[in-house]
Amino acid sequence: MTISLQRALEHMAWANQEIYKLIAELPDEALDAYAIDPEFTVREILRHIATSAGGLASILEGEKNEVIEQPKNMVELREIAEKLAANDARLIKLVNLEDKLIEFQRRGETVTWMRSTVLTQAVHHSIEHRAQAVSALEARGYKAVNLDDFSVWDYELSQR
């Protein structure tokens, strides 16, 4: 068996769903939590993760991305989690593409990156912002998520 990005993408999708599920159990006010920047609340971070997952899949699929709105409450966060699951599934399906340079628009300019770089960025981006969301929650006294429970080791054990 050849090593690929598939396990990393599958772990990302699993951790995303598990962490969104735990956050959705908190009171709606938890969505307003932030660590330093009051404009980058948990509601915005979680929206950003879901929209970006779709955006990165869209780059590889050559399609237009759906911009997801911020959740107003935990019911809407659960709906965003469903959209994120679909976007993560799209990314996982793309793991078998031929790895080659592709050209696309990023921040208003044309850039060229390897397809594997786009998929690797999806994994990194999700991890980075999940940690940011959990830190924002902790800064405001919400201790619902222990990131140590969502390692790749834990993912593999959950699949056995």
Side-chain angles (χ1 to χ4, degrees), residues 19 22-24 26-35 40-43 45-46 74 77 130-145:
I19 290 170
L22 288 173
I23 293 172
L26 295 170
D28 291 341
E29 298 76 33
L31 291 171
D32 294 321
Y34 66 92
F40 214 52
T41 61
V42 169
R43 104 179 44 247
I45 295 166
L46 298 178
M74 294 304 180
L77 178 61
R130 285 193 315 258
Q132 191 175 34
V134 170
S135 294
L137 289 167
E138 289 177 352
R140 302 295 171 210
Y142 298 101
K143 306 285 186 199
V145 180

Side-chain angles (χ1 to χ4, degrees), residues 20 28 30-34 37-51 66-81 83:
Y20 274 57
D28 291 341
L31 291 171
D32 294 321
Y34 66 92
D37 182 354
E39 292 188 21
F40 214 52
T41 61
V42 169
R43 104 179 44 247
E44 173 55 20
I45 295 166
L46 298 178
R47 180 213 66 82
H48 177 71
I49 292 170
T51 295
E66 172 193 6
V67 176
I68 297 169
E69 298 294 320
Q70 288 185 357
K72 294 178 186 67
N73 52 49
M74 294 304 180
V75 170
E76 289 185 9
L77 178 61
R78 288 181 187 93
E79 293 168 5
I80 288 174
K83 291 179 181 183

Side-chain angles (χ1 to χ4, degrees), residues 117-141:
T117 300
V118 175
L119 287 173
T120 302
Q121 175 60 19
V123 174
H124 169 76
H125 184 264
S126 178
I127 293 167
E128 171 187 26
H129 287 306
R130 285 193 315 258
Q132 191 175 34
V134 170
S135 294
L137 289 167
E138 289 177 352
R140 302 295 171 210

Side-chain angles (χ1 to χ4, degrees), residues 4-6 12 18 40 44 46 48 57 78 81 88 90 92 100 104 118-119 133-136 138 144 149:
S4 77
L5 288 170
Q6 184 154 344
M12 173 196 72
E18 295 298 314
F40 214 52
E44 173 55 20
L46 298 178
H48 177 71
R78 288 181 187 93
D88 286 347
R90 289 167 58 202
I92 292 167
K100 66 179 187 177
F104 56 93
V118 175
L119 287 173
V134 170
S135 294
E138 289 177 352
D149 294 337

